[in-house]
Amino acid sequence: MTSTSRLHVSRGEGFALGLIATGAISVAVAALVAVVRGGVEIFGSAPTVRMLVTGGEVPDLAGVPEISAAAFASADVTFTGLPAAVGWMLWLELALPALATIGVCIVAWWLGVSLMRARPFRRAMSTAIGVVAVLVVVGGVLGQVLGAFGRAFLVDDLAVTSPQVVDVFGTFVMELDLAPVGWGFALALVAGAFAIGARLQRETEGLV
């Protein structure tokens, strides 16, 4: 028979784990609120979109001798309204990474609770971490792609009546950040470690 006296955490460890779990849930709620607020802004009557500009000069810095050139990289543009497809793409640009953040926070909360119960190695835990790894990669990369296409479609729509916008906004500009891919690989390794830990735990329990 196995002894359960070792399966516990100290009071200080429990407090720290509880604090981390509570913080993770708080971040998840904040991310959800940001998604809702972003949807209200994008689908509202006067949406503001950060557009990438091509070579917007900064005249106030022209006389600074230590600066050879300066240009705006983006501009916050307020529209009277957005096409429906563009609105959904821009909202998904915000929502998909937020969904990944919510998934990570939920797993962090679950892991904190499991550690407080001194039983973190579960098959479901490795599965959950693997799902979150996919969410981080897909949400991070796909969100950027949808945002770039949404802005491109918006520029094309504006160019029908105002061709000069093509000289200000890039028709298709995407600053691809591959950090979500790296985080996804790291989470996948963590999922693998938990799967191996769960298997070793079952084998150890079977030997006792």
Side-chain angles (χ1 to χ4, degrees):
M1 180 180 297
T2 60
S3 175
T4 59
S5 60
R6 296 174 297 171
L7 300 178
H8 70 280
V9 296
S10 68
R11 182 175 299 178
E13 291 170 339
F15 176 79
L17 291 170
L19 188 63
I20 292 172
T22 302
I25 289 298
S26 299
V27 172
V29 172
L32 181 61
V33 170
V35 170
V36 175
R37 291 181 60 183
V40 172
E41 170 69 22
I42 290 172
F43 296 106
S45 58
T48 299
V49 180
R50 177 156 295 182
M51 304 289 293
L52 299 179
V53 302
T54 56
E57 299 296 331
V58 185
D60 293 339
L61 299 178
V64 181
E66 292 83 4
I67 298 177
S68 60
F72 291 107
S74 64
D76 292 334
V77 183
T78 300
F79 296 88
T80 57
L82 297 174
V86 171
W88 281 107
M89 288 183 182
L90 295 178
W91 182 73
L92 287 173
E93 179 188 26
L94 171 69
L96 290 177
L99 178 63
T101 299
I102 292 171
V104 170
C105 290
I106 291 175
V107 169
W109 169 81
W110 187 17
L111 179 57
V113 173
S114 298
L115 287 171
M116 291 172 64
R117 297 174 178 173
R119 195 166 181 80
F121 294 108
R122 305 176 183 180
R123 181 179 299 177
M125 181 67 70
S126 63
T127 302
I129 297 174
V131 171
V132 168
V134 175
L135 283 176
V136 169
V137 174
V138 174
V141 175
L142 184 59
Q144 296 177 69
V145 173
L146 288 174
F149 273 106
R151 288 174 177 83
F153 291 153
L154 182 56
V155 172
D156 288 341
D157 185 70
L158 294 172
V160 174
T161 56
S162 304
Q164 67 271 22
V165 299
V166 179
D167 298 327
V168 180
F169 304 129
T171 54
F172 184 83
V173 181
M174 180 173 62
E175 298 177 349
L176 184 62
D177 182 9
L178 294 178
V181 178
W183 284 112
F185 285 149
L187 287 171
L189 289 175
V190 173
F194 269 84
I196 294 172
R199 177 173 56 82
L200 293 176
Q201 180 175 271
R202 290 195 303 271
E203 291 177 354
T204 302
E205 291 174 348
L207 294 174
V208 176

